[in-house]
Amino acid sequence: MNLATTIHMLQGRGFRMTTVRRFLLQTFKDTKAPLSANDLIGILKKAHLECNRTTVYRELTFLVEQTLLRAVDFGDGAKRYELAGGEHHHHFICSNCKAVSDVNLKNDLEQQERILEKILGATIESHSLEFFGICKNCGTK
Ligand SMILES: [Zn+2]
Ligand SMILES: [Zn+2]
């Protein structure tokens, strides 16, 4: 979905399009890696947009509720966000420099999900999986 379509959809749902909201959506579209609230506060500051911490958190919650963003958790206490609705993928996070790359798995985990469903007698609807290690840049130092 492009930015104009996203904005149109939000307005259609009766929501206002503020400068900050538009800027955040644009930032997520332009950025490959998931972003934390702190990352965004830094980016807003650099763009000379006045926005306090509470507003950023409120915007993030709002955009998750509108299923435009998805929260990703790398287990380090900082919640990060990325655009929802993209192709299903995983992440690789460098434990040293914290660089994040998107990872696609061949055949993904469908077979494992079917096996788990049998074991658990449950229906698995989704999964999230992150890989941690040392990236190419950090490994060759
Ligand atoms: Zn690294
Ligand atoms: Zn997967």
Side-chain angles (χ1 to χ4, degrees), residues 88-90 105 108-109 127-129:
H88 173 76
H89 63 275
H90 302 272
L105 293 183
D108 207 42
L109 301 172
H127 64 255
S128 77
L129 174 66

Side-chain angles (χ1 to χ4, degrees), residues 92-99 133-139 141:
F92 169 80
I93 302 104
C94 175
S95 316
N96 186 48
C97 71
K98 311 295 176 200
I134 304 297
C135 78
K136 216 196 273 177
N137 285 339
C138 294
K141 251 172 216 168

Side-chain angles (χ1 to χ4, degrees), residues 32-34 70-74 82-83 86-94 99-113 124-132:
K32 286 278 160 275
R70 156 181 52 228
V72 288
D73 190 347
F74 297 158
E82 67 181 0
L83 285 182
E87 211 190 321
H88 173 76
H89 63 275
H90 302 272
H91 298 105
F92 169 80
I93 302 104
C94 175
V100 179
S101 324
D102 285 355
V103 178
N104 290 302
L105 293 183
K106 218 176 165 191
N107 304 322
D108 207 42
L109 301 172
E110 278 159 40
Q111 219 182 328
Q112 276 82 350
E113 286 193 342
I124 293 176
E125 293 169 335
S126 68
H127 64 255
S128 77
L129 174 66
E130 330 298 344
F131 299 88
F132 300 91

Side-chain angles (χ1 to χ4, degrees), residues 31-91:
T31 312
K32 286 278 160 275
L35 298 166
S36 67
N38 273 339
D39 293 334
L40 292 163
I41 288 163
I43 294 167
L44 282 158
K45 221 175 239 171
K46 249 189 220 160
H48 304 289
L49 276 174
E50 289 238 4
C51 189
N52 63 41
R53 194 162 278 273
T54 315
T55 309
V56 173
Y57 282 111
R58 211 192 301 131
E59 277 304 320
L60 289 171
T61 305
F62 170 79
L63 293 171
V64 170
E65 280 167 5
Q66 295 301 315
T67 63
L68 291 169
L69 294 184
R70 156 181 52 228
V72 288
D73 190 347
F74 297 158
D76 62 356
K79 226 191 222 176
R80 291 176 179 79
Y81 301 85
E82 67 181 0
L83 285 182
E87 211 190 321
H88 173 76
H89 63 275
H90 302 272
H91 298 105

